[in-house]
């Protein structure tokens, strides 16, 4: 399953975890030393949001930080003539409003 936000384009990124040893100077040691790096993934917090537009349920996969944007798109679509379109076409029209 894809972990990409349909609105913002947020996607997984590679980050580094730093492994250290030693005692901090403020605790009376000679300082922390870095002994290695390991790669890890940071993934966006993706959730499915389902809204009803023109009588059809439309599902968006968005980051939680952009859920409100989905509801703003639905509000902006109130004046559009979307009857008779498929769910995929309605979704494409809504995403074109961004």
């Amino acid at each position: 399953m894809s972990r990409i936000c349909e609105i913002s384009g947020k996607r997984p990124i590679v980050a580094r975890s730093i492994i250290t040893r030693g005692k901090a100077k403020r605790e009376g040691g000679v300082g922390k030393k870095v002994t290695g790096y390991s790669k890890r993934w940071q993934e966006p917090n993706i959730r499915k949001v389902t809204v009803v537009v023109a009588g059809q349920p439309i599902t968006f996969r968005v980051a939680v930080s952009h859920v409100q944007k989905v509801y703003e798109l639905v509000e902006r679509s109130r004046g559009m003539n979307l009857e008779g379109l498929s769910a995929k076409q309605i979704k494409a029209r809504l995403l074109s409003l961004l």
Side-chain angles (χ1 to χ4, degrees):
M1 188 182 327
S2 176
R3 301 286 293 172
I4 300 174
C5 176
E6 293 178 349
I7 292 184
S8 66
K10 284 187 178 185
R11 60 189 317 129
I13 61 169
V14 176
R16 289 183 184 171
S17 289
I18 301 173
I19 295 98
T20 59
R21 63 185 256 183
K23 194 172 186 182
K25 286 185 178 181
R26 68 174 177 263
E27 296 173 2
V30 295
K32 301 278 249 173
K33 304 291 189 271
V34 175
T35 59
Y37 297 98
S38 60
K39 288 187 177 181
R40 67 184 193 88
W41 286 95
Q42 290 179 340
E43 295 191 348
N45 191 6
I46 301 290
R47 294 291 178 261
K48 287 183 181 178
V49 178
T50 303
V51 292
V52 177
V53 179
Q56 296 202 25
I58 311 290
T59 301
F60 290 92
R61 292 177 46 78
V62 297
V64 171
S65 58
H66 290 85
V67 169
Q68 188 60 34
K69 196 72 169 172
V70 173
Y71 295 109
E72 290 175 15
L73 286 176
V74 172
E75 286 297 318
R76 288 176 61 188
S77 71
R78 298 257 187 247
M80 298 171 67
N81 185 14
L82 300 173
E83 276 68 23
L85 296 177
S86 69
K88 192 179 251 187
Q89 291 170 328
I90 292 173
K91 187 173 183 177
R93 289 256 177 107
L94 289 177
L95 290 175
S96 70
L97 293 175
L98 295 174

